[in-house]
Each structure stands twice: as C-alpha cells, then as structure tokens.
Amino acid sequence: MSIGHTLLGLLESGPRHGYDLKRAFDEKFGHDRPLHYGQVYSTMSRLLKNGLVEVDGIEAGGGPERKRYAITDAGITDVERWLATPEKPELYLQSTLYTKIVLALLTRRDAADILDAQRSEHLRSMRILTDRKRKGDFADQLICDHALFHLEADLRWLELTAARLDRLAEAVTE
C-alpha cells in the first residue's frame, strides 16, 4: 500500500493535522498495521517537499507546533493517476512455503507433514478471519473476504501439492 497516496486521498476531504491523518488512516486501513506517528510525519514532509501538499496553517499550543496540511492540485493529480493505475497481481512465484516443500524433499524429510501443518495453520487463520468478518462492519467484511479468498487458494494449492508430492520429489531430486 502506498501510504503517501493514501494520506493524500484522505486530505482530499479537507485539511488535517498529522494526528488526524493517522487516526483516519488507522480507522479505515490500519486495523492490522496501524501507522506510527513518525511514519506519518516523515511521509508528510516528503509530500510537502514534492509539492503534493502544503501547510494550510500552524497552531501553537502547549507542545510542539501543529501543522495543518492541505492537498495541492499536483497532489490531486497524483492521487488520480495512482487510483487509475492497476496494481500488479502478486504471483507468489517465490513462495517460502514452496521453498520449504522442495527443501524437505531434497533433504529426505517428510514434506507431507509440512503440508499438513501448513493446512492446519491456514484453517486456524480462516477461522479467526471468519469470526472477525462476522463481527465487523461492511468494510472489514470486505477486507476479510479478500484474505479468505487468498487462503482458500493456498489451501487448493496445498491439496494439489500433496496429491503430486511423489512427482515433485522426482522432479527436484533428478
């Protein structure tokens, strides 16, 4: 995820302080990985330097000065370009799981045990996500669906690999 573009998009609704941007980001996108304040301010500094945001006001208070940021026309154009650019699909061609299976076969370990353990871990994660989905709001339900569909695809791969383990062993040990 592009944190800079996300913060710019949040600024399109109006000027905000860094603290407000962090709170809005965490509420909408950071359920599993909230932003650190330092990340917000370093990103805002970079966006300011690149002319994508401007300081809309500075408030003095009991602590450090609070800058209020506003998106510039260049920032709006940058967000529009980013939103219109399709994301490259993640192909997972260098999967750690695949590497573990091949190494297990090369070292004469039981790759089926690794597949079984991974299947159990995937099912555990799916139960947690399904529970979260059931309790979440609509936006959280959609993000959980995204993760669940990926886990389901992984499970299909685990089953296919288990069924072809002998052929894979022949292929990698030749």
Side-chain angles (χ1 to χ4, degrees), residues 1 8 11 18 32 34-35 52 61 63-64 67 74 85 97 105 113 123 141 145 147-148 156 158-159 161 170:
M1 173 188 314
L8 284 172
L11 280 172
D32 297 315
L35 281 181
L52 302 176
K67 292 179 184 175
T85 304
L97 181 55
L105 293 170
D113 286 348
L123 291 171
Q141 290 170 11
D145 280 339
L148 285 164
R156 288 195 311 270
L158 290 167
E159 294 301 324
T161 303
E170 289 174 16

Side-chain angles (χ1 to χ4, degrees), residues 45-106:
S45 177
R46 188 183 80 249
L47 295 172
L48 186 64
K49 184 178 89 175
N50 293 335
L52 302 176
V53 298
E54 61 191 9
V55 175
D56 186 59
I58 298 176
E59 297 172 14
E65 292 181 333
R66 292 183 43 171
K67 292 179 184 175
R68 189 175 56 245
Y69 298 96
I71 191 168
T72 63
D73 289 340
I76 291 170
T77 300
D78 198 54
V79 170
E80 287 172 349
R81 188 174 326 138
W82 179 68
L83 290 173
T85 304
E87 290 297 307
K88 183 177 179 183
E90 296 179 34
L91 300 179
Y92 302 106
L93 294 177
Q94 287 299 320
S95 158
T96 303
L97 181 55
Y98 174 77
T99 302
K100 286 182 173 186
I101 299 304
V102 170
L103 284 175
L105 293 170
L106 289 173

